[in-house]
Amino acid sequence: MPSVSDILDSMDYGPSPEQTDHVKDWLARHKEGFGHFIAGAFTGGASQWIDVDNPATGERLARVPQGTSADVDAAVKAARKAFPAWSKLPGHARAKHLYALARHIQKRERFFAVLETMDNGKTIRESRDIDVPLVARHFYHHAGWAQLIESEFPGHGPVGVCGQIIPWNFPLLMLAWKIAPALAAGNTVVLKPAEYTPLTALALAEACVEAGLPKGVVNIVTGDGETGAALAAHPDVDKVAFTGSTEVGRLIRQATAGSGKKLSLELGGKSPFIVYEDADLDAAVEGVVDAVWFNQGQVCCAGTRLLVQEGIAPRFLQKLRKRMETLRVGDPLDKSTDMGPLVAPQQLQRVSGLVKKGESEGGTLVQAPGALPQKGNYFPPSLFLDAEPASTVMQEEIFGPVVAAMTFRTPDEAATLANHTRYGLAASIWSENINVALDGAARMKAGVVWINSTNLFDAAAGFGGYKESGFGREGGREGLYEYLTADWLKALPKDASSPKGKLAGSTVRGEPLAPDAIDRTAKLYVGGKQARPDGGYSYAVTNAKGKVIGQAGLGNRKDIRNAVEAAVKASAWSSASAHNRAQVLYFIAENLGARRDEFAKRLVQAGHSARDAAREVEASLERIFFYAAHADKYDGRIHSTNAKKQTTLAFNEPYGVMALVCPTDAPLLAMVSLLMPVLAMGNRAVLVPSEEMPLIATDFYQVLDTSDVPGGAVNIVTGARDELAKTLAEHDEVAAMWYHGSTQGAAMVEKASAGNLKATWTFGGRKVNWFDAVQAQGHEYLRRSVQVKNIWIPYGE
């Protein structure tokens, strides 16, 4: 046996294995196979089984049933049956159930940690010290929300039955992220764990029974992607929450289009890790270890795009290579192991293939020395040097222990390189200069930014992405909204209306203008200027009696592209202060008020009575004032995360370019009600006005011209509503879209939006009463005009 002095000289680690007998005993009791957990009990038997293997050894741990559509249907029926009673429970009663689950997890935390490591391959230190405590934290935190939900979310209620699909990288933690807020809000759940890692979900099902959760509130169906697809497509599921790859998220968006299901997607990432020249280099090196080699790099927000300022790059990369050599890869149940195996042979094959592709593209690969275990899905810590910005290893999510490094010279270049990706999940910034750090954080197009830290998570802070990293948030106040719906939204009637006829080009012949008509052909409004439609066509605008009152431009795909391009260029509006935006909105109201008689006359031409026309103009003025008032008051929060000397700021940031498709009725008021919250929050808009009464919008851009609205902040394209809407939904530079129209049009928009996974609000073809302040204005519109960025800021030494 070596002496203490020998050990101090060699720094060799002795074996320190975690005891597994209690988990093996539990698995032995289920050696014939597990069942689905439906209506508070485990089902028996299966026609087809899935083997669950230990990634470290390849040995079979258990087998679980391959869920069928019949299994999914049974689970959804159980959840539906349990929903009325569970949703009507007082918040305090639901809080007690969540508290009981949290306590049960804490009492069995060692069991859960060992089972998670055996099932997933992550090290026992990570399971024991990070995952399981966070699982308990989520249930405790959401027990509090259940208690407070009626007072903190007035006018909101549960969505209904939630179908939840989780990945294999954080099996138990992802379950808590999904189930805890759903139950707190009063929903019932059908959850499908990943086929590779279902065991801790089934163990938690047992905990649900032991903690006294009512039957059917939580149901768990195991299986592969086909099972998940059946759950997402089930007609009696009201909400789908998915965490996984962008490719699968895109399929779910398409499959749920037009179904009326609420949807949240937490998808892939390729996160930048930025090291400035004034950073604490040793701390930043440890940050890379936590960002990339934590959980074998199988983390959607892993900082695998390493950007180092040029002056310090040689020294930093030398330190990183030296630190990489000390990482211990091996048995994840050994408490001295830094990195375990990848989850499955298929994942090992994928990572190996992407690394080979990186080498073939000219990247210089550096890997940690040392032999890997003979059994298991092991891959060494890896670093690519001299990576090109467009290379595979710099652009594609590898989901393994691989980081690609490149240099930058200036903060501007760092931000450009960091945002040069289709993803936008997270970013990590390292600098001892708080000005540099916060400026960098503000520039990141990502839902989470860690300053001098990485991979920090807490139930009180929202987590989720921008761009193709999905939409919606998990955790915190913003995450709870994903499992609630406004009462007024539920009560909206279906709108069966559609434009009266198919629009065709050219002017109308043989039909004289109405006596009170203004003889002009209104143009489009693009980039702050009136523009003729690309096709050169116009269409007749008629009043309620069918008389022609004017002509409007018939916009096409090229006009939409021009409008979006103008909106992209108008980024100064998004960076303007909230006070300045408020002033502009007040100015719009002032100028509209000065022309109230003209706009009222235009509404009378469309068929409104003089009284109704005057009422709509006055309501529009009041609505502009409402959002002008909110422009500098709808702000963020400081989240109370469970971390010492850490401030977590939740910022409301504009999406950027938003598309707004207006309904046919209340042409002025509806347009103002949609446009003003979007402008107030700093977005730029491409607006398709009422197809039947577009002249209100073409009059309105004259108001914009005299109200200091920057060119491109508002763009108006008239024409066939659904044709233009489809082009907008397909456009990758449109970050979010609101649509008011038919049920079929709503389905079309949602399906077409899958290209860049933009956030959509289609109202499912429902009809809004635009004069009703509850339905047509308020925080729901403001909340859907922004995406939340959480910035984690440590302080102290």
Side-chain angles (χ1 to χ4, degrees):
M1 178 179 293
S3 66
V4 173
S5 60
D6 291 336
I7 294 173
L8 290 174
D9 286 337
S10 67
M11 293 301 291
D12 287 337
Y13 289 84
S16 53
E18 178 66 52
Q19 184 68 30
T20 61
D21 290 350
H22 54 313
V23 172
K24 289 181 177 178
D25 289 344
W26 180 77
L27 292 171
R29 293 199 299 271
H30 298 279
K31 63 182 180 180
E32 298 302 322
F34 289 87
H36 305 298
F37 182 68
I38 299 174
F42 286 95
T43 62
S47 58
Q48 186 178 350
W49 295 91
I50 297 175
D51 287 341
V52 181
D53 299 331
N54 185 332
T57 63
E59 67 177 332
R60 194 180 84 175
L61 296 174
R63 63 176 190 165
V64 298
Q66 165 62 42
T68 64
S69 57
D71 296 323
V72 169
D73 189 57
V76 171
K77 286 180 178 177
R80 179 61 63 194
K81 183 178 180 180
F83 174 70
W86 177 254
S87 62
K88 290 176 183 176
L89 279 179
H92 175 62
R94 291 201 301 272
K96 289 192 294 183
H97 282 295
L98 287 164
Y99 176 81
L101 278 172
R103 291 289 294 132
H104 194 90
I105 290 162
Q106 283 186 318
K107 286 186 286 188
R108 300 184 66 189
E109 61 183 8
R110 185 161 169 254
F111 168 84
F112 278 113
V114 173
L115 180 59
E116 190 81 325
T117 291
M118 293 175 66
D119 196 18
N120 167 272
K122 64 178 63 191
T123 65
I124 187 63
R125 288 188 298 140
E126 293 171 7
S127 297
R128 179 195 64 200
D129 300 339
I130 299 174
D131 288 31
V132 175
L134 269 175
V135 170
R137 162 73 172 149
H138 271 270
F139 280 102
Y140 275 126
H141 179 79
H142 286 94
W145 276 127
Q147 183 75 41
L148 301 174
I149 204 159
E150 293 171 7
S151 60
E152 290 295 312
F153 296 87
H156 287 74
V159 179
V161 174
C162 299
Q164 302 178 323
I165 304 167
I166 61 174
W168 41 258
N169 55 339
F170 292 91
L172 190 59
L173 183 55
M174 290 294 102
L175 176 148
W177 279 24
K178 294 288 191 293
I179 287 181
L183 299 192
N187 303 280
T188 54
V189 166
V190 178
L191 180 135
K192 191 204 83 70
E195 60 185 293
Y196 297 146
T197 56
L199 299 183
T200 45
L202 295 171
L204 188 103
E206 291 184 350
C208 290
V209 175
E210 295 170 12
L213 197 69
K215 296 178 180 180
V217 171
V218 170
N219 306 271
I220 295 173
V221 178
T222 58
D224 59 13
E226 292 185 4
T227 310
L231 178 57
H234 197 286
D236 206 24
V237 168
D238 302 300
K239 150 84 180 180
V240 175
F242 172 77
T243 296
S245 72
T246 295
E247 291 72 21
V248 175
R250 189 172 283 115
L251 293 174
I252 290 175
R253 169 70 286 181
Q254 293 171 338
T256 58
S259 65
K261 292 180 172 67
K262 195 169 185 179
L263 179 64
S264 57
L265 300 172
E266 195 264 284
L267 307 175
K270 190 68 178 176
S271 301
F273 189 106
I274 307 172
V275 184
Y276 288 96
E277 60 188 2
D278 62 351
D280 180 334
L281 298 190
D282 292 322
V285 166
E286 291 306 311
V288 175
V289 172
D290 290 339
V292 179
W293 296 307
F294 165 65
N295 198 21
Q296 297 72 255
Q298 298 171 134
V299 184
C300 53
C301 53
T304 55
R305 298 171 67 235
L306 177 59
L307 308 176
V308 187
Q309 199 152 12
E310 197 172 77
I312 59 162
R315 189 156 50 103
F316 179 81
L317 293 173
Q318 182 181 14
K319 285 176 175 285
L320 182 61
R321 291 177 65 169
K322 185 175 181 180
R323 178 66 177 90
M324 189 171 70
E325 293 173 358
T326 67
L327 295 174
R328 303 185 76 244
V329 181
D331 181 5
L333 285 167
D334 190 316
K335 302 182 187 71
S336 299
T337 297
D338 296 309
M339 220 178 77
L342 300 179
V343 72
Q346 296 91 325
Q347 184 64 12
L348 176 60
Q349 183 179 9
R350 181 180 185 276
V351 171
S352 300
L354 288 170
V355 167
K356 288 179 181 177
K357 188 171 183 181
E359 287 186 283
S360 70
E361 292 175 346
T364 302
L365 177 64
V366 178
Q367 293 186 312
L372 299 176
Q374 295 297 311
K375 292 183 179 180
N377 310 314
Y378 290 92
F379 195 86
S382 302
L383 166 66
F384 270 100
L385 302 174
D386 308 316
E388 294 293 331
S391 64
T392 297
V393 294
M394 193 59 86
Q395 288 294 320
E396 294 300 319
E397 184 179 32
I398 297 176
F399 227 62
V402 184
V403 59
M406 63 179 299
T407 61
F408 67 90
R409 293 182 179 179
T410 66
D412 286 344
E413 185 182 10
T416 300
L417 291 171
N419 292 324
H420 182 61
T421 171
R422 59 194 176 103
Y423 299 111
L425 191 54
S428 184
I429 295 175
W430 294 76
S431 171
E432 291 298 287
N433 186 321
I434 190 64
N435 295 322
V436 171
L438 288 177
D439 179 64
R443 295 184 185 207
M444 292 301 101
K445 302 299 183 185
V448 180
V449 181
W450 296 292
I451 292 177
N452 293 330
S453 55
T454 191
N455 278 344
L456 298 179
F457 309 99
D458 188 72
F463 182 87
Y466 289 14
K467 300 189 287 188
E468 291 188 34
S469 289
F471 49 81
R473 293 294 180 264
E474 311 255 17
R477 179 182 291 266
E478 56 263 42
L480 203 58
Y481 273 114
E482 302 300 328
Y483 291 95
L484 293 167
T485 188
D487 294 338
W488 66 265
L489 274 171
K490 282 187 174 181
L492 291 180
K494 287 285 185 180
D495 183 7
S497 66
S498 60
K500 294 176 182 177
K502 183 178 180 181
L503 297 183
S506 79
T507 57
V508 176
R509 299 176 182 176
E511 292 188 44
L513 293 172
D516 59 349
I518 301 173
D519 187 9
R520 71 181 179 92
T521 299
K523 298 180 178 67
L524 313 181
Y525 189 65
V526 177
K529 300 177 181 179
Q530 297 184 38
R532 295 184 184 278
D534 174 71
Y537 292 108
S538 60
Y539 71 97
V541 181
T542 60
N543 62 17
K545 296 179 180 180
K547 294 292 185 180
V548 177
I549 61 174
Q551 306 289 329
L554 188 62
N556 62 19
R557 294 178 63 89
K558 181 63 163 59
D559 296 311
I560 290 293
R561 291 198 298 270
N562 291 341
V564 173
E565 182 179 350
V568 170
K569 291 178 179 178
S571 58
W573 177 254
S574 296
S575 58
S577 72
H579 170 74
N580 286 343
R581 293 198 301 269
Q583 293 300 299
V584 171
L585 264 64
Y586 281 124
F587 202 9
I588 292 173
E590 178 184 332
N591 288 323
L592 178 62
R595 300 175 62 179
R596 55 167 44 90
D597 292 341
E598 176 186 335
F599 277 85
K601 181 180 179 181
R602 179 67 85 181
L603 289 169
V604 169
Q605 288 178 337
H608 291 52
S609 69
R611 179 180 178 181
D612 287 345
R615 176 179 174 232
E616 183 167 342
V617 174
E618 291 304 316
S620 300
L621 291 169
E622 183 178 347
R623 195 134 300 161
I624 298 171
F625 263 74
F626 177 87
Y627 288 113
H630 270 291
D632 59 357
K633 298 174 185 65
Y634 189 74
D635 45 26
R637 294 176 176 270
I638 299 178
H639 286 316
S640 298
T641 48
N642 188 28
K644 294 180 180 178
K645 293 188 175 182
Q646 181 81 51
T647 296
T648 307
L649 307 179
F651 285 91
N652 292 327
E653 289 197 338
Y655 278 99
V657 178
M658 290 186 63
L660 307 174
V661 180
C662 299
T664 56
D665 56 328
L668 176 62
L669 181 56
M671 178 183 67
V672 164
S673 299
L674 297 177
L675 179 60
M676 290 304 136
V678 166
L679 289 182
M681 294 298 99
N683 298 283
R684 294 93 73 190
V686 177
L687 184 141
V688 177
S690 168
E691 180 178 320
E692 294 180 4
M693 190 54 196
L695 301 182
I696 281 288
T698 58
D699 290 344
F700 188 74
Y701 63 55
Q702 298 171 11
V703 174
L704 300 178
D705 279 337
T706 58
S707 303
D708 293 341
V709 178
V714 179
N715 305 273
I716 299 173
V717 181
T718 57
R721 180 186 67 197
D722 285 359
E723 291 179 18
L724 299 176
K726 187 173 188 294
T727 301
L728 284 165
E730 292 172 341
H731 203 298
D732 285 347
E733 291 287 357
V734 175
M737 183 169 178
W738 298 352
Y739 171 88
H740 284 268
S742 66
T743 303
Q744 296 82 0
M748 174 271 294
V749 165
E750 290 175 350
K751 188 171 184 178
S753 73
N756 71 338
L757 290 165
K758 58 176 62 69
T760 60
W761 192 19
T762 66
F763 287 78
R766 290 181 170 85
K767 185 178 178 65
V768 172
N769 178 358
W770 296 103
F771 289 92
D772 186 338
V774 173
Q775 295 182 19
Q777 75 175 28
H779 280 214
E780 191 72 19
Y781 290 83
L782 292 164
R783 186 175 69 83
R784 291 177 182 266
S785 298
V786 297
Q787 47 193 347
V788 180
K789 174 190 285 184
N790 279 274
I791 302 178
W792 295 66
I793 308 172
Y795 56 87
E797 294 293 331

